[in-house]
Amino acid sequence: MQLEISAHSSLCLVIGDPVSHSLSPAMHNAAYAACCLPFVMGGAQVRSGTLADAMKGVRALGIRGLAVTMPHKVSIMDLLDEIDPTAATIGAVNTVVNNGGILTGFNTDWIGILRPLEKLTSLRGKKVALLGAGGAAQAALYACGSQGASVTIFNRSLEKATTLADRFNVSVLPLEKTDELAAFDIIINTTSVGMAPEIDASPVPESALRREQIVFETIYAPVSTKLLRFSQRAGASTITGLDMFLEQGAAQFHLHTGVKAPRDEMEKILRRSLGA
Ligand code: ATR
């Protein structure tokens, strides 16, 4: 049963540019309703040049929490009062909590990587091939490193990958070295290869995948990517971008509300929204 939205409701926002595609409001509003919480989440398109003004607005309006998406995950860090140490190590914030006017930045993207993996295996001593060197790769590096896995970054541009690898003390290979992938236990795709509308592409060929591996796709639109279809045909275990989005959102919900997230309700609305 949903509580009526009223002048007492706590307001949350997803901010980004673009933002209209974001599934966060649907997911969080379904979760508030399931828990009978007097919260509501909307979305605000915030251009890069206006982020500082937007944050003044967050303070002035007493917005309770933010879900932060591209391109603001790094630049928002300078506009907050406190940064959680994990978010500081990752170098990105995807969640802001406003506690009595003190804005604190957190990162739950790494939890979105860790939780689905933990359900399948322990990461200790595992060899992880991380495809990509962008924002999602940073969260994956932290998640894997914190659990004692050893990571190799595979990326198209070696320059960008080397900067990231130096920060996390891991090694780098070119993305086309797919013949090396057989030696890895876990493959995590954080590149945008396979994302709509270019859904007929995979960052690695089917021949590079083995049935003993876990393949983690971070793309959630479409839910079933070519990489996941290749992995299933190879007999590998798979984790979808929907699993990751759900877990980062569940941790974010808990930070905003202090209440344990109703995962089943959140997953249901995500599956419906993504046609999965
Ligand atoms: P995010 O923050 O979502 O991780 P990003 O920072 O734009 O996104 O990073 C995108 C990643 O996808 C990068 O690793 C990028 O490789 P480069 O560093 O070489 O640019 C990778 N990527 C994007 N398009 C690609 C393509 N067509 N082939 C291979 N890699 C690609």
Side-chain angles (χ1 to χ4, degrees):
M1 187 206 62
Q2 179 158 20
L3 281 188
E4 216 171 286
I5 295 167
S6 73
H8 299 288
S9 300
S10 295
L11 300 178
C12 292
L13 284 174
V14 54
I15 62 166
D17 186 19
V19 82
S20 58
H21 68 287
S22 174
L23 296 174
S24 291
M27 179 174 67
H28 284 270
N29 286 321
Y32 303 148
C35 298
C36 288
L37 292 172
F39 275 65
V40 62
M41 181 180 280
Q45 183 183 17
V46 176
R47 305 239 186 254
S48 286
T50 62
L51 182 61
D53 285 342
M55 295 310 290
K56 282 185 196 157
V58 166
R59 291 175 191 277
L61 296 168
I63 300 292
R64 164 66 185 165
L66 298 177
V68 184
T69 184
M70 301 314 292
H72 304 312
K73 288 187 180 187
V74 177
S75 46
I76 198 167
M77 296 175 80
D78 289 336
L79 301 166
L80 303 172
D81 302 308
E82 295 170 355
I83 306 286
D84 168 75
T86 300
T89 304
I90 294 170
V93 157
N94 78 323
T95 304
V96 175
V97 179
N98 181 352
N99 259 328
I102 307 292
L103 302 190
T104 306
F106 297 88
N107 188 302
T108 68
D109 287 329
W110 75 280
I111 298 172
I113 300 274
L114 181 59
R115 292 276 181 267
L117 279 170
E118 274 180 343
K119 286 183 195 158
L120 296 183
T121 189
S122 158
L123 280 167
R124 185 147 306 279
K126 294 289 182 337
K127 289 185 73 178
V128 177
L130 177 61
L131 316 181
Q138 289 177 38
L141 277 165
Y142 182 85
C144 295
S146 71
Q147 303 302 305
S150 73
V151 181
T152 300
I153 300 175
F154 288 73
N155 201 48
R156 178 180 59 179
S157 107
L158 284 184
E159 203 184 326
K160 189 165 157 191
T162 304
T163 310
L164 188 60
D166 289 349
R167 252 184 68 206
F168 286 88
N169 201 19
V170 302
S171 41
V172 176
L173 283 172
L175 185 59
E176 66 263 24
K177 283 267 182 200
T178 51
D179 47 332
E180 306 273 345
L181 288 173
F184 289 83
D185 305 299
I186 299 168
I187 299 170
I188 306 177
N189 178 40
T190 68
T191 75
S192 46
V193 181
M195 201 178 273
E198 286 165 74
I199 57 169
D200 209 30
S202 167
V204 299
E206 186 173 342
S207 57
L209 305 170
R210 293 184 300 113
R211 65 185 305 278
E212 298 77 18
Q213 291 171 325
I214 296 172
V215 179
F216 192 144
E217 173 66 275
T218 65
I219 294 170
Y220 63 81
V223 175
S224 173
T225 61
K226 193 161 197 178
L227 173 64
L228 286 172
R229 290 194 296 278
F230 280 171
S231 307
Q232 281 150 4
R233 281 213 296 259
S237 304
T238 54
I239 298 172
T240 69
L242 189 148
D243 299 321
M244 179 189 175
F245 191 78
L246 173 65
E247 289 299 338
Q248 66 77 32
Q252 189 167 66
F253 175 90
H254 185 251
L255 285 166
H256 286 160
T257 66
V259 172
K260 186 172 182 289
R263 279 185 179 65
D264 290 352
E265 299 299 327
M266 293 165 82
E267 185 173 351
K268 215 182 292 168
I269 193 102
L270 283 180
R271 289 201 177 279
R272 199 184 312 150
S273 305
L274 291 164

